[in-house]
Amino acid sequence: AQKITQTQPGMFVQEKEAVTLDCTYDTSDQSYGLFWYKQPSSGEMIFLIYQGSYDEQNATEGRYSLNFQKARKSANLVISASQLGDSAMYFCAMREGLSGNKLVFGAGTILRVKS
Amino acid sequence: DTGVSQDPRHKITKRGQNVTFRCDPISEHNRLYWYRQTLGQGPEFLTYFQNEAQLEKSRLLSDRFSAERPKGSFSTLEIQRTEQGDSAMYLCASSPGVGQFNEKLFFGSGTQLSVL
C-alpha cells in the first residue's frame, strides 16, 4: 500500500492567490512526522514545513501552512499569496515510528503559477 | 554550512559500464542517505548510514549497487554493469542524526545518470 498519496499530478494557480496541495498518508504508528519539500527545476529538494503527529496546532512557516487532519490522515499544504517562483514540484513525505530513520515520499504535485 | 555536494552533476555511460558517484554531506551530520528519483516520481529510498555504518538498505538496492561511507564522512555509490533502467537522478541527503522526528534531511543537487 502507498504510504503517501498525492492525488493531484498538476495544479495551476493565479499569482497572488492561495492554493492547497493534497497529501494523505497511511500508517499504523501513533508517532510520526510529516514533511513538505519543494523541488524547482534546478533539482535540489528544499524543506518547507514539518508537522508532528502530536502537534495540536497546524504548522506555519511564512506563506506555507499545513492543514493537518489526523483522523482523516491528511496533511495538505497551503501556499498563500502565490508567487511565480513557487512554480515547482512539491513532495509530501513521512517519517514513521520510533525507529523511523528515513523519509518516504509521495509522487509529487507539479504547481504552475500563472501571471 | 556549505550544504550537501554531489559529484558529478551529470554522468552519461554505456550499458554494462561501472559508475561511481560521490556525496559530501554537511560537516558534523552523522546520517547520510541515498535516494533515487525517476522522472515525474518522488525520491525512493536506497540506503542510509549512521556515521560509517550502513544501517538500512532498500530492496531496490540490487547486488549491482554498493555504497560506502569510510570514516563517516563522504560517501560513494557505485553501480556495476549499468542497465538502462538505472537511468535516474541519484540524490544524497544528510541530517544531524540526533533521532528527533522533526529532523529534516538536507539534500544535494543530485547526480543525473543516463545509461545509453
Side-chain angles (χ1 to χ4, degrees), chain A residues 11-86:
Chain A
M11 291 282 286
F12 284 94
V13 64
Q14 196 67 39
E15 195 178 8
K16 300 180 184 177
E17 294 188 349
V19 62
T20 298
L21 306 183
D22 295 342
C23 172
T24 57
Y25 58 92
D26 180 25
T27 182
S28 55
D29 288 327
Q30 296 300 309
S31 302
Y32 52 88
L34 297 156
F35 300 75
W36 277 90
Y37 278 82
K38 171 184 178 181
Q39 188 178 42
S41 56
S42 59
E44 188 172 348
M45 299 279 285
I46 302 166
F47 168 77
L48 295 178
I49 195 167
Y50 167 82
Q51 179 84 43
S53 59
Y54 292 115
D55 294 341
E56 295 184 354
Q57 305 266 358
N58 285 340
T60 60
E61 291 283 351
R63 293 187 300 111
Y64 304 108
S65 61
L66 206 151
N67 183 0
F68 180 47
Q69 298 188 45
K70 194 170 182 177
R72 294 186 176 184
K73 293 188 176 178
S74 74
N76 299 338
L77 177 70
V78 180
I79 305 175
S80 62
S82 296
Q83 302 172 356
L84 295 178
D86 293 334

Side-chain angles (χ1 to χ4, degrees), chain B residues 62-87:
Chain B
S62 77
D63 55 8
R64 295 186 298 105
F65 288 70
S66 62
E68 295 182 342
R69 192 184 183 196
K71 302 178 184 178
S73 55
F74 71 93
S75 175
T76 57
L77 178 68
E78 181 183 17
I79 308 174
Q80 296 183 327
R81 305 181 303 281
T82 52
E83 301 172 357
Q84 288 184 327
D86 296 331
S87 295

Side-chain angles (χ1 to χ4, degrees), chain B residues 17-55:
Chain B
Q17 298 292 306
N18 299 342
V19 294
T20 300
F21 310 140
R22 177 180 170 122
C23 171
D24 287 89
I26 294 172
S27 59
E28 86 262 2
H29 276 191
N30 294 323
R31 289 190 181 171
L32 186 146
Y33 300 79
W34 286 100
Y35 282 81
R36 181 173 70 186
Q37 186 179 21
T38 52
L39 196 62
Q41 297 299 313
E44 296 174 297
F45 171 77
L46 292 178
T47 188
Y48 99 94
F49 293 82
Q50 175 82 30
N51 299 312
E52 66 275 9
Q54 188 173 18
L55 296 187

